Amino acid sequence: MKNAYEIKELLDNGGSICIYDTETTGLKKPESRILSFSAIIVRKVDGHLQEEKRMDILMDPECDIPDFITDINHISNEDTVLSGTDVDFFQSYRV
């Protein structure tokens, strides 16, 4: 999509969009790791956005999550201990 007007037109004509977000262990490359990936697919119904599908995945960063990051995104080491890694996640969604 080039701009918000095209997104509005797509939604007005029955289309749907995917909105996604990630949380990470920080902003420094290459040591920062992905902690979570979330996506929501929405469609406009009766003038309002309606959620059609949602995905929330926690990922084990294979390192300690800094306390200041947990303070920001509320994801702790304990939350991710039983999760797969980012590599596991993205390999499972290869096309």
Side-chain angles (χ1 to χ4, degrees), residues 54-86:
R54 172 185 292 259
M55 175 175 38
D56 294 300
I57 305 290
L58 284 175
M59 298 177 205
D60 181 354
E62 300 181 298
C63 65
D64 285 333
I65 301 170
D67 289 338
F68 79 95
I69 293 296
T70 298
D71 290 342
I72 294 169
N73 61 29
H74 308 287
I75 299 172
S76 68
N77 291 306
E78 294 78 20
D79 294 328
T80 63
V81 72
L82 298 177
S83 301
T85 66
D86 55 353

Side-chain angles (χ1 to χ4, degrees), residues 16-76:
S16 61
I17 60 171
C18 178
I19 303 164
Y20 64 91
D21 184 36
T22 60
E23 297 295 338
T24 66
T25 59
L27 299 176
K28 294 181 183 176
K29 294 188 277 185
E31 58 269 4
S32 294
R33 302 298 302 266
I34 298 173
L35 294 173
S36 74
F37 176 85
S38 298
I40 300 172
I41 296 176
V42 296
R43 180 181 306 275
K44 198 171 188 180
V45 177
D46 297 327
H48 301 283
L49 292 181
Q50 178 176 318
E51 181 180 317
E52 291 190 329
K53 291 183 183 179
R54 172 185 292 259
M55 175 175 38
D56 294 300
I57 305 290
L58 284 175
M59 298 177 205
D60 181 354
E62 300 181 298
C63 65
D64 285 333
I65 301 170
D67 289 338
F68 79 95
I69 293 296
T70 298
D71 290 342
I72 294 169
N73 61 29
H74 308 287
I75 299 172
S76 68

